[in-house]
């Protein structure tokens, strides 16, 4: 009970902090996509040595010690949890086909894939919905501003950060394991964090030779992708081209029902 009290108290504090940042952003440039840019650039400057001297060595040890099949098991386990939240988000947005696919994936992978460590659903060509709580908040009309860069977590907005906090504090890992086995719970979160860091490190490597300001490129790419997924046409000065497509996602406004309605 004591742990749950501090956990909820911490969540409330984090949410208040995010919304205070959102309120402060209104004193910046109203049409700007990054009114907290000086603060964010400082956070990005802090992030770079943390990535190079903390995250990268940890990821290198992880990928050296743990074979690929082990890393796939970790990834599958946490992506199964992502599918659960995607299903909930899709359901609350009225995207019933997406939600059905996601819940179907969770049922199959949890039941037959040993709590999600084997991804049978992908082998059966059941698509992921790709929704999250940030997109759910967008559907409910909550604006994204301001943009934030958080060391070791990367780019986000207040809206997406709030969704991430809710997801973290309602994780099935805590609900299922709780205080029954603190060591197991912490080990799962630790391995999951390292797995997530590996994605960020490799993404950073892909930007090594980019011929422009990396901070600006990361911000633009992130905001365009999130605007695309949320069905928005713009975020501040970030304008989406009419034919913008990130290559592997389906925007929230482009559901199967939409397609049926436009079919001659």
């Amino acid at each position: 009970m004591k742990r749950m009290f501090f956990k909820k108290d911490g969540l409330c504090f984090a949410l208040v902090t995010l919304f205070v940042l959102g309120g402060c952003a209104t004193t910046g440039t109203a049409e700007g996509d990054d009114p907290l840019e000086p603060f964010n650039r400082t956070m990005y400057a802090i992030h770079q040595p943390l990535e190079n001297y903390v995250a990268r060595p940890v990821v290198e040890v992880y990928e050296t010690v743990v074979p690929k099949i082990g890393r796939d098991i970790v990834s599958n386990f946490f992506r199964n949890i992502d599918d659960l939240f995607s299903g909930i988000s899709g359901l609350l947005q009225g995207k019933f086909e997406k939600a059905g696919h996601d819940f179907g994936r969770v049922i199959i992978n949890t039941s037959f894939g040993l709590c999600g460590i084997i991804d049978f659903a992908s082998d059966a060509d059941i698509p992921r919905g790709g929704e999250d709580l940030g997109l759910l908040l967008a559907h409910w009309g909550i604006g994204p501003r301001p943009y934030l860069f958080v060391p070791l977590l990367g780019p986000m907005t207040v809206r997406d950060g709030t969704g991430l906090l809710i997801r973290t504090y309602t994780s099935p890992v805590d609900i299922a394991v709780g205080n029954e086995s603190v060591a197991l719970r912490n080990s799962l979160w630790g391995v999951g964090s390292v797995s997530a860091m590996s994605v960020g490190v490799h993404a950073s490597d892909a930007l090594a030779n980019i011929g422009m300001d990396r901070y600006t490129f990361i911000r633009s790419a992130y905001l365009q992708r999130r605007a695309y997924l949320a069905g928005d046409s713009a975020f501040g000065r970030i304008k989406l081209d009419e034919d913008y497509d990130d290559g592997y996602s389906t925007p929230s406004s482009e559901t199967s029902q939409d397609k049926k309605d436009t079919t001659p």
Side-chain angles (χ1 to χ4, degrees):
M1 288 296 293
K2 184 177 180 181
R3 178 179 175 275
M4 289 301 296
F5 171 78
F6 284 111
K7 183 175 179 181
K8 292 179 180 178
D9 190 56
L11 174 59
C12 290
F13 174 78
L15 290 175
V16 168
T17 300
L18 285 174
F19 282 112
V20 166
L21 282 172
C24 291
T26 60
T27 62
T29 305
E31 296 300 320
D33 51 329
D34 188 4
L36 297 176
E37 183 171 351
F39 170 80
N40 285 328
R41 283 191 177 273
T42 300
M43 293 299 101
Y44 183 67
I46 292 172
H47 164 82
Q48 289 182 300
L50 287 176
E51 180 183 76
N52 291 330
Y53 300 114
V54 177
R56 191 174 298 276
V58 170
V59 168
E60 289 176 352
V61 170
Y62 173 69
E63 294 183 345
T64 299
V65 173
V66 181
K68 186 177 185 306
I69 187 172
R71 301 197 302 271
D72 288 343
I73 285 173
V74 173
S75 178
N76 289 340
F77 176 80
F78 284 97
R79 291 189 77 176
N80 191 45
I81 295 176
D82 289 339
D83 288 340
L84 173 61
F85 281 98
S86 177
I88 294 171
S89 176
L91 182 64
L92 294 178
Q93 293 181 66
K95 300 176 183 177
F96 301 120
E97 184 175 355
K98 276 190 174 185
H101 286 153
D102 284 325
F103 288 134
R105 289 182 59 86
V106 171
I107 291 171
I108 291 172
N109 288 338
T110 302
S111 301
F112 303 105
L114 304 177
C115 292
I117 66 174
I118 303 174
D119 187 3
F120 285 125
S122 290
D123 293 336
D125 294 325
I126 302 176
R128 281 190 164 91
E131 298 293 326
D132 57 47
L133 298 183
L135 296 177
L136 174 61
L137 294 175
H139 178 78
W140 286 348
I142 298 176
R145 282 186 178 84
Y147 171 79
L148 300 171
F149 192 96
V150 182
L152 292 180
L153 289 181
M156 66 178 63
T157 61
V158 163
R159 182 176 67 197
D160 294 337
T162 301
L164 178 63
L165 282 172
I166 295 172
R167 182 205 183 289
T168 300
Y169 279 84
T170 56
S171 171
V173 171
D174 273 11
I175 294 173
V177 179
N179 291 326
E180 300 300 320
S181 178
V182 175
L184 175 60
R185 184 195 69 221
N186 292 343
S187 296
L188 287 172
W189 276 120
V191 174
S193 297
V194 174
S195 179
M197 278 195 297
S198 69
V199 175
V201 167
H202 291 306
S204 181
D205 289 340
L207 300 177
N209 298 319
I210 191 169
M212 63 178 292
D213 177 36
R214 291 179 63 179
Y215 172 85
T216 302
F217 179 85
I218 291 170
R219 179 185 63 197
S220 178
Y222 176 81
L223 294 179
Q224 286 200 57
R225 172 169 160 73
R226 293 303 292 180
Y228 175 77
L229 292 176
D232 297 332
S233 61
F235 182 100
R237 293 189 301 270
I238 300 295
K239 302 292 184 181
L240 294 183
D241 296 330
E242 290 184 3
D243 59 350
Y244 176 83
D245 189 341
D246 66 0
Y248 54 90
S249 300
T250 301
S252 60
S253 59
E254 193 175 307
T255 61
S256 294
Q257 187 59 48
D258 293 332
K259 293 177 182 178
K260 291 176 182 177
D261 293 341
T262 57
T263 300

